């Protein structure tokens, strides 16, 4: 196994651990997930909305919804795609998407 493969395997293990722990109500684990994915969610929303103020508000809503719904995520390795799909909460901005 190459060093890169080892790092990716370790990162996957960490992601699974953080998601599982967050699903059990651990806010520190969710905070770590937030730190890892905040920029990705922000970038996705910014490309769609183009307004930093709206994007900041939307990102806050996305992570609040994610914290509430994280128990619905069955495969922890899908967290990245799942968190970006939570921003479909953007029904607030249907004309902008």
């Amino acid at each position: 196994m190459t060093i890169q493969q080892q790092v990716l395997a370790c990162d996957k293990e960490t992601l699974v651990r953080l998601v599982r722990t967050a699903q059990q109500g651990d806010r520190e684990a969710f905070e770590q997930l937030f730190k890892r994915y905040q920029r990705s969610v922000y970038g996705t929303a910014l490309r769609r909305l183009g307004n930093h103020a709206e994007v900041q508000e939307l990102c806050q809503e996305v992570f609040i919804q994610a914290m509430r719904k994280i128990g619905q995520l069955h495969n922890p390795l899908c967290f990245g795609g799942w968190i970006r799909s939570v921003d479909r909460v953007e029904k607030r901005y249907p004309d902008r998407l």
Side-chain angles (χ1 to χ4, degrees), residues 44-83:
T44 299
L46 185 60
R47 282 190 300 278
R48 292 178 180 171
L49 299 176
N51 178 299
H52 288 281
E54 287 179 353
V55 169
Q56 288 176 334
E57 189 174 328
L58 178 63
C59 285
Q60 183 176 353
E61 290 178 26
V62 165
F63 281 100
I64 288 169
Q65 287 296 321
M67 190 165 43
R68 290 181 181 149
K69 296 182 177 189
I70 195 164
Q72 297 174 8
L73 178 62
H74 299 292
N75 183 348
L77 294 175
C78 294
F79 184 83
W82 179 78
I83 190 71

Side-chain angles (χ1 to χ4, degrees), residues 9-97:
C10 179
D11 196 48
K12 286 180 181 182
E13 291 172 14
T14 302
L15 177 60
V16 169
R17 181 181 48 77
L18 286 172
V19 170
R20 294 284 187 228
T21 307
Q23 287 175 323
Q24 295 171 1
D26 186 311
R27 289 184 180 254
E28 289 181 29
F30 191 83
E31 181 181 350
Q32 290 301 312
L33 291 168
F34 170 79
K35 288 177 180 179
R36 285 177 172 228
Y37 289 92
Q38 177 184 16
R39 292 180 79 181
S40 176
V41 171
Y42 190 91
T44 299
L46 185 60
R47 282 190 300 278
R48 292 178 180 171
L49 299 176
N51 178 299
H52 288 281
E54 287 179 353
V55 169
Q56 288 176 334
E57 189 174 328
L58 178 63
C59 285
Q60 183 176 353
E61 290 178 26
V62 165
F63 281 100
I64 288 169
Q65 287 296 321
M67 190 165 43
R68 290 181 181 149
K69 296 182 177 189
I70 195 164
Q72 297 174 8
L73 178 62
H74 299 292
N75 183 348
L77 294 175
C78 294
F79 184 83
W82 179 78
I83 190 71
R84 285 186 293 277
S85 74
V86 171
D87 72 1
R88 297 210 168 81
V89 162
E90 313 171 56
K91 293 177 183 160
R92 264 181 63 186
Y93 305 102
D95 58 322
R96 307 286 297 276
L97 302 175

Side-chain angles (χ1 to χ4, degrees), residues 1-14:
M1 183 180 283
T2 67
I3 293 175
Q4 184 177 7
Q5 289 170 327
Q6 291 173 349
V7 169
L8 290 174
C10 179
D11 196 48
K12 286 180 181 182
E13 291 172 14
T14 302

